[in-house]
Amino acid sequence: MREIIRAKNSGFCFGVERAVHDSFGFITTHGRAYTLGPLIHNKDVIQKLENQGILEISINDVEKLKEEDTVIIRTHGVPMAVYDELKARKIHIEDLTCPYVINIQRKVKDYYDRGYNIVILGDANHPEIIGINGYCENSAYITKSGALDLPLKGKLCVVAQTTEKQSNWETLIGNLAKVSKEFVAINTICKATEDRQKSAEELSKEVDAMIVIGGKASSNTTKLYEICKRNCPLTFHIENAKEIGTIKEKIKKAVRVGVTAGASTPEWIIKEAMENL
Ligand code: F3S
């Protein structure tokens, strides 16, 4: 008999829950709206939103919008310049930037204005980091794993992408201590990320196979996968219940199967996957 065990903290975080809830709510009262990129990294939710009138456009397509259109800002946030452009074009803004991301943007702006150079731990191509970098005139030194391969000058302020791994943060701080006399380190890894990573870490040590559910483009889901894979070789990243068919053979001998899900994976997808397992 197979035992399916779900990680204590998994699935929608506070920021994503709010963004999805408010977007569906917005549609019932206002009708159509646009998001600059997918609202969250989950194709099933995006499809539902699209069916109801929330359409995804590229950040480069802002010029195609008309006055009085509405743009929903995603949890990842956007650079300051994007707010300016939307306002100049008289476009309504429904701002659903996660408050934890707003906190990073404010800190970065504050320290940058006070003469600090900004260091960000994260993925330079991720919209959250592109957004944060926009609060220091795109001048940040961005490191993906904590390695420092360029000389850093002056006073430094260091922050992290909300979905970063604690181990990368510790690597970066260790490396900074070797090259910088004065730096302010603000660990901005969000609590929801931390809790999900800890639960996944613990569970993946106890099970025969581990299933990580979430979008392939989701940064926090990918990190959960990496953490679980270290402890449990039979770890698989799937987007939804349908994909269980592709791994069925590989986990057929697994008696204890752990399940975790990224912060942008809705409850109904997790339940369906658990039932299929
Ligand atoms: Fe916000 Fe953390 Fe979720 S930053 S969007 S609560 S993963």
Side-chain angles (χ1 to χ4, degrees):
M1 180 82 171
R2 175 172 280 173
E3 193 185 353
I4 315 290
I5 311 157
R6 179 169 171 176
K8 207 161 118 211
N9 294 291
S10 53
F12 268 12
C13 62
F14 144 79
V16 170
E17 174 95 56
R18 186 184 74 135
V20 173
H21 174 270
D22 287 9
S23 297
F24 278 116
F26 180 84
I27 278 308
T28 53
T29 51
H30 293 73
R32 178 170 299 236
Y34 298 89
T35 58
L36 307 178
L39 183 74
I40 63 170
H41 292 298
N42 187 283
K43 287 184 199 145
D44 301 84
V45 174
I46 295 305
Q47 190 57 56
K48 280 193 179 196
L49 285 164
E50 203 180 300
N51 295 344
Q52 300 201 27
I54 300 206
L55 306 176
E56 176 194 335
I57 59 164
S58 150
I59 201 154
N60 304 319
D61 286 338
V62 167
E63 58 193 35
K64 293 186 188 151
L65 296 174
K66 297 190 289 296
E67 276 186 24
E68 307 297 318
D69 276 342
T70 298
V71 160
I72 293 175
I73 307 280
R74 310 181 286 174
T75 56
H76 302 313
V78 290
M80 267 193 304
V82 173
Y83 286 102
D84 295 342
E85 185 173 357
L86 292 173
K87 282 180 194 156
R89 291 179 181 277
K90 298 195 172 58
I91 289 163
H92 295 300
I93 300 173
E94 185 74 5
D95 195 352
L96 297 178
T97 308
C98 178
Y100 295 124
V101 177
I102 293 177
N103 174 47
I104 306 175
Q105 295 169 342
R106 286 192 181 144
K107 291 229 158 70
V108 162
K109 177 156 181 4
D110 180 33
Y111 277 94
Y112 182 69
D113 288 347
R114 285 155 60 186
Y116 284 75
N117 292 322
I118 306 296
V119 180
I120 307 175
L121 173 65
D123 176 357
N125 297 317
H126 191 281
E128 179 186 320
I129 300 307
I130 294 170
I132 293 168
N133 200 12
Y135 288 77
C136 57
E137 296 182 286
N138 300 312
S139 66
Y141 178 84
I142 302 168
T143 164
K144 191 163 183 176
S145 57
L148 296 174
D149 46 18
L150 280 178
L152 297 169
K153 292 193 195 103
K155 300 181 290 183
L156 305 172
C157 168
V158 197
V159 296
Q161 189 168 344
T162 53
T163 51
E164 254 309 328
K165 284 191 284 195
Q166 177 68 18
S167 56
N168 285 347
W169 175 256
E170 287 166 16
T171 303
L172 174 60
I173 299 304
N175 286 339
L176 277 169
K178 289 178 199 148
V179 297
S180 172
K181 287 265 184 214
E182 186 177 352
F183 65 91
V184 174
I186 310 169
N187 185 341
T188 48
I189 299 172
C190 113
K191 176 89 171 67
T193 301
E194 235 173 63
D195 291 346
R196 274 155 191 71
Q197 291 183 358
K198 267 188 204 146
S199 315
E201 170 99 58
E202 283 163 19
L203 184 58
S204 59
K205 286 179 184 159
E206 296 168 10
V207 292
D208 305 313
M210 192 76 202
I211 312 298
V212 182
I213 313 167
K216 294 273 156 68
S218 156
S219 157
N220 75 87
T221 308
T222 308
K223 301 256 169 29
L224 289 177
Y225 171 77
E226 289 167 5
I227 289 168
C228 294
K229 185 82 180 169
R230 253 189 350 232
N231 299 322
C232 175
L234 279 185
T235 294
F236 300 94
H237 180 176
I238 59 168
E239 292 209 329
N240 52 39
K242 277 181 246 143
E243 289 186 16
I244 288 178
T246 62
I247 57 165
K248 215 166 136 194
E249 264 307 294
K250 293 176 188 144
I251 59 164
K252 70 176 180 202
K253 290 196 183 133
V255 178
R256 285 165 64 80
V257 178
V259 173
T260 187
S264 47
T265 311
E267 206 48 36
W268 53 272
I269 289 185
I270 303 172
K271 291 214 168 103
E272 206 179 309
M274 287 180 76
E275 273 162 30
N276 277 17
L277 280 168

